[in-house]
Amino acid sequence: MTFQNPVFIPGPTNMPEAVRQACYMPTIDHRSPIFGKILHPCLDGVRQVLKSDSAHIYIFPSTGTGGWETALTNTLCKGDKVLAARNGMFSHRWIDMCQRHGLDVQVVETPWGKGIPTDTYQEILKADKSHTIKVVLATHNETATGVKSDIAAVRAALDAAGHPALLFVDGVSSIASMDFRFDEWGVDVAVTGSQKGFMLPAGLAIVGFSDKAVAAAATADLARTFFDIRDMQKGYDANAFPYTPPVGLMNGLKLSLDMLLDEGIDNVIARHTRIATGVRHAVSAWGLDLCAASPDLYSDTVSAIRTPDGFNATDIVTHAADVYDVAFGVGLGEVAGKVFRIGHLGSLTDVMMLSGIATAEMCMVDLGLDIKLGSGVAAAQEFYRSDHARAKKNAP
Ligand SMILES: *Cc1c(COP(=O)(O)O)cnc(C)c1O
């Protein structure tokens, strides 16, 4: 058992050493002005990562799931109607949470491997003349299937229908690693967590609210105390939380935001695209297919790879852990046993990725799949070389 190897799961992601060190700090008085020096840069940095000028940022001691609950309970009333597509495990869980909160969810069942059917959203919204639908949910990146949905198209569907529903986006596995535009897409609530693109341990729910979503908190009647954004805002106004903040994690977030913004958020996105494209070249060299049905849906943070019929994809994950001390992701829900997942987000380089591709290859050969050692690695190497050469040629 070794801790030397990177993980290739789609969260929690690898942590830069400096970020780990930043989380490890002495106790401070969280009601002193020192805390404000950690809090406010975090709020400002997250806003920049979301590409927003004015989003209200709230950070709770929780995870992405708590971010979903923050979104729902602060804006909705019992029995309110919500529109959602189910195309993977995470959209499924968000729908389940809505139902358990007594919301009336209109579920658009969507094949796993496909994205949000925005045409169907538009028809439903157009037909909802009395505007009973209060919120439209969109899972930007389905981590279970490696499928990206088109959030700009969801916004366009709302606008084409002239519908005033709020747009809530689960960006847990996309924000800080894939293109995300809070203002441009007219997002009302964006949800994420600390342990994916932000390269931190789990422990923070990070959400952005539009003015319209904040205003909804005045009339929302779903029960909330811990996740009440009004209490949180009052805390922030006094450089504090309504309870004890996770200071070390937030100090880590402050540094990870500095690192992301120093690299440049568009460069971070381009790095994820490059690394992911290399993985996809490897997958096609292996003669395998992605769960995502077409290239426009390919996720740049996780690839769910289908294995041949009759082969249990989970065996690859178990074998990699047992023999090579390397973590890949198993298939979840409907695609359990049919896919294995390679996570490629967060603190990751081409070189790290090549080691992950090489390990996946060894496992598949060990388990008898008809794959040539080195085939995927070579395909990814060729791509990374050519992409760097291209970038160099185009440099100013
Ligand atoms: C990881 C993930 C979640 C759940 O986040 P937790 O931090 O585990 O609560 C929700 N949605 C998506 C898309 C995710 O990838």
Side-chain angles (χ1 to χ4, degrees), residues 232-250:
M232 191 51 94
Q233 188 58 54
K234 261 186 232 149
Y236 290 172
D237 293 343
N239 286 331
F241 265 38
Y243 31 73
T244 316
V247 176
L249 275 176
M250 293 184 65

Side-chain angles (χ1 to χ4, degrees), residues 63-65 68 90 141 143 170 172-173 195-196:
T63 69
T65 305
W68 286 342
F90 293 93
N141 187 69
T143 318
D170 173 343
V172 181
S173 62
Q195 80 278 21
K196 297 191 182 172

Side-chain angles (χ1 to χ4, degrees), residues 42-216:
C42 284
L43 303 178
D44 291 343
V46 169
R47 196 177 301 110
Q48 287 181 59
V49 168
L50 293 181
K51 294 197 174 157
S52 176
D53 290 332
S54 57
H56 304 257
I57 309 299
Y58 305 103
I59 300 173
F60 290 90
S62 184
T63 69
T65 305
W68 286 342
E69 190 155 332
T70 302
L72 301 176
T73 57
N74 280 284
T75 54
L76 291 169
C77 297
K78 215 171 180 70
D80 272 353
K81 197 157 173 192
V82 171
L83 175 63
R86 174 160 37 215
N87 65 335
M89 202 62 189
F90 293 93
S91 44
H92 166 71
R93 287 190 186 146
W94 205 4
I95 290 166
D96 175 58
M97 176 183 278
C98 290
Q99 290 167 339
R100 292 205 227 174
H101 277 88
L103 298 169
D104 172 14
V105 193
Q106 178 163 1
V107 180
V108 180
E109 296 294 351
T110 305
W112 289 37
K114 292 263 171 85
I116 294 170
T118 48
D119 292 350
T120 311
Y121 266 25
Q122 187 169 322
E123 280 164 30
I124 293 169
L125 290 164
K126 270 209 173 121
D128 181 34
K129 299 265 184 274
S130 53
H131 299 160
T132 54
I133 295 169
K134 297 300 174 206
V135 164
V136 173
L137 299 187
T139 299
H140 185 202
N141 187 69
E142 235 317 336
T143 318
T145 54
V147 164
K148 168 183 73 177
S149 283
D150 185 348
I151 303 302
V154 177
R155 166 46 66 198
L158 277 153
D159 291 350
H163 201 291
L166 298 169
L167 171 58
F168 289 5
V169 182
D170 173 343
V172 181
S173 62
S174 60
I175 288 168
S177 27
M178 283 164 49
D179 191 21
F180 192 95
R181 306 179 187 199
F182 188 94
D183 286 0
E184 193 181 314
W185 295 343
V187 175
D188 290 296
V189 180
V191 175
T192 188
S194 47
Q195 80 278 21
K196 297 191 182 172
F198 290 111
M199 310 173 288
L200 287 158
L204 302 176
I206 301 167
V207 296
F209 272 55
S210 69
D211 289 336
K212 204 169 144 192
V214 168

Side-chain angles (χ1 to χ4, degrees), residues 17 123 371:
E17 183 59 25
E123 280 164 30
I371 278 167

